[in-house]
Amino acid sequence: MTGALRLFSVFHANLDFSAIPEPDLPRVIDRCYWPLLSLVEEERIPIGFEASGRTLARLAAEDPEWLKAYRALVERDLIEPVASGWAQLVAPLVPADVNADNLALGRAAYAELLERTPTTWFVGEQTWADGLADLYLDCGARRLVMEWNNPASQRRELRPLRGRPARVVGRSGRALPILWNDCVLFQKVQRVAHGQIPADDLWRTLSPWRGEGVPQAHCLYGGDVEIFDYRPGHPEPAGAERGVEMARLRALFAGLAREPGIGFRLPVHVHAEEGHGPLVTLASSADPLPCKKQPRYNPTRWAVSGRDGLGMNTACYRLRRDGRAARALGGRGADPRDLVELWRSDLRTRATEEKIDGFHRALGRASERCREELARCLPPLGEGDDAVLVNGSGAPWAGQPVAVPLVLEPGRLAAAEVAAIGGTGPLDCPAQLEVESRYRDGSVRRASAVLEPELAVGGRLRLRLCPVRERASEADGVPERPTTAKVSLSLLPHRGGAIEELVFPELGPAPLLGTVPHGTFDAIEYTPDFYSGHVLAVDDHARKTTDLSPAAIAWCHRGAVRDTVEARVETRLGLWRKR
């Protein structure tokens, strides 16, 4: 094989695919998964097969005979299991500890279901961040499969390495070999199988690499399994009942395998002769999180799209926060598997209604368990306590601002300050009480105790409110231009309180955010005015409403920790309040 064109494949299997309804799983396995095993068995063409631990577990439950046949081909070195974790996540959008749990849970599932642990790993959703290398190394990965096309489009030094080995280095200094996936090649394979282009188009792409003196190794296919004779969301392509697309795929692979000077290898053997190649960097300033295929497949697709992807991610972060707090207080915290499964990327695109419902049910159960555990771990309020502040994070608090919401009984206090239980005076850190609402008699109904405590991990501070004489609100300073030692802000009353300039004096005198006035730039496409801190709402009929109209700006709270201003803007959708 020295000097020949080496081809390898990593078929990406995912029974969690967002648009596959649960009743279709048997059809997907029959049409897509079994024919792939037949291709390998009968043509004796080695492939890599990547599946999450969840997908393997579902295959074992849905069709145990398929998993048995798969394992037999693994034993014969015709299939190499390629790992990706317990579930498919977009790693750069997920905290590092959740990513580490995902990889560890996947590794355990492969060991249980396959009785072996893969050494080749497939980067989830083919979306990369430089911090991932160490996570994969820590879970035992010896090589990664990652797309070449997008990183190489921004980093010229990667372009000669399309069919060559390379390595990425982690922050720990350890290096990890890379096998390049190629979205142009695997999309051509898909189009050949779908009957959209003739096989000759793919042959013409491969031909120049056969005659080069330097050995070439290319990933012929690194895409989905579930798109041959099935379409997620549209399950009946023409000829699916006869296996037309799988037949085309099989003919393509078999034809290439018979061609002189071309050989198929398992991913683990692709670069056995050449070594690991140069050290490279995949991220760039132009593309810090390289992703797969065309530009629409970028991390924001999973951050804000789908059915309230932003809300889903926020709920996951909240569950993780509460779980970490419970663990810091001696409890169990959130189940790592709950967090991993709730962060699945397939819930954040074109997910079916049943998958969305399943997410909210699972989130509700996990959140309730976590709340109960947190309540069990929290210290009880003592007599006279209004609150007990506990550092449930994993790091000491060194004066970070904390807001503690409080609800008081009617008639108790007209004005108050925050003190420590047992103390004789004010706290030894900056603190203030921000009144949010009052009862009809003028007493405080809801308020926030805002302070900057210094607390070790697990440290506790008992708080109470002490009555003081009500003081007239301070009138100094202009609310449109609130200024402190650390922040200088200028707002635009005639533009809804949008930010004119935001300066952090400790960093420098120039504003870091603000308004670019109309006509600042000569280029016509940049002549409109651009705003920061404004609001744009789009209704179901695509009508836009902004808050760029005159606003009433006033102080809300002023104190030792923070000053708060509020802009009120009347719009056709009602009164908007911005703080």
Side-chain angles (χ1 to χ4, degrees), residues 338-544:
D338 285 342
L339 282 169
V340 167
E341 295 197 350
L342 288 168
W343 241 304
R344 298 200 320 267
S345 57
D346 291 290
L347 295 169
R348 288 154 173 80
T349 48
R350 297 180 298 133
T352 61
E353 195 69 32
E354 61 190 343
K355 284 183 169 63
I356 297 296
D357 289 344
F359 168 86
H360 289 293
R361 288 195 300 271
L363 174 66
R365 291 191 296 267
S367 299
E368 182 62 24
R369 288 194 297 268
C370 198
R371 281 193 295 268
E372 291 175 353
E373 183 69 11
L374 191 56
R376 187 183 66 80
C377 298
L378 286 175
L381 287 177
E383 183 178 355
D385 289 1
D386 284 296
V388 179
L389 187 61
V390 183
N391 180 1
S393 70
W397 288 349
Q400 294 95 330
V402 176
V404 182
L406 301 169
V407 180
L408 280 63
E409 62 272 18
R412 178 183 164 190
L413 293 169
E417 64 182 7
V418 186
I421 285 292
T424 58
L427 289 169
D428 58 358
C429 68
Q432 67 192 74
L433 187 73
E434 298 180 351
V435 177
E436 304 295 340
S437 64
R438 295 179 179 272
Y439 292 102
R440 291 172 63 87
D441 64 0
S443 60
V444 177
R445 179 198 297 264
R446 293 181 181 273
S448 291
V450 183
L451 59 158
E452 296 179 337
E454 295 187 6
L455 279 180
V457 175
R460 304 175 183 184
L461 184 64
R462 298 181 179 276
L463 304 176
R464 71 176 176 185
L465 300 183
C466 300
V468 295
R469 177 181 295 179
E470 190 165 12
R471 295 184 292 267
S473 60
E474 301 178 33
D476 61 310
V478 180
E480 292 87 351
R481 297 183 179 275
T483 302
T484 71
K486 295 181 179 293
V487 181
S488 177
L489 176 64
S490 174
L491 303 176
L492 296 174
H494 65 287
R495 285 302 194 189
I499 298 172
E500 181 179 27
E501 286 188 347
L502 174 59
V503 178
F504 298 94
E506 293 178 347
L507 299 180
L512 297 185
L513 281 178
T515 294
V516 179
H518 174 241
T520 298
F521 300 109
D522 293 333
I524 190 65
E525 62 268 29
Y526 298 129
T527 53
D529 31 18
F530 297 88
Y531 294 95
S532 296
H534 68 297
V535 177
L536 171 67
V538 183
D539 64 19
D540 292 341
H541 303 288
R543 292 176 300 191
K544 297 180 181 179

Side-chain angles (χ1 to χ4, degrees), residues 53-71:
R54 267 180 62 92
T55 289
L56 284 180
R58 301 186 84 188
L59 281 164
E62 189 73 36
D63 194 338
E65 288 301 310
W66 186 94
L67 190 63
K68 181 179 178 181
Y70 169 74
R71 289 179 55 177

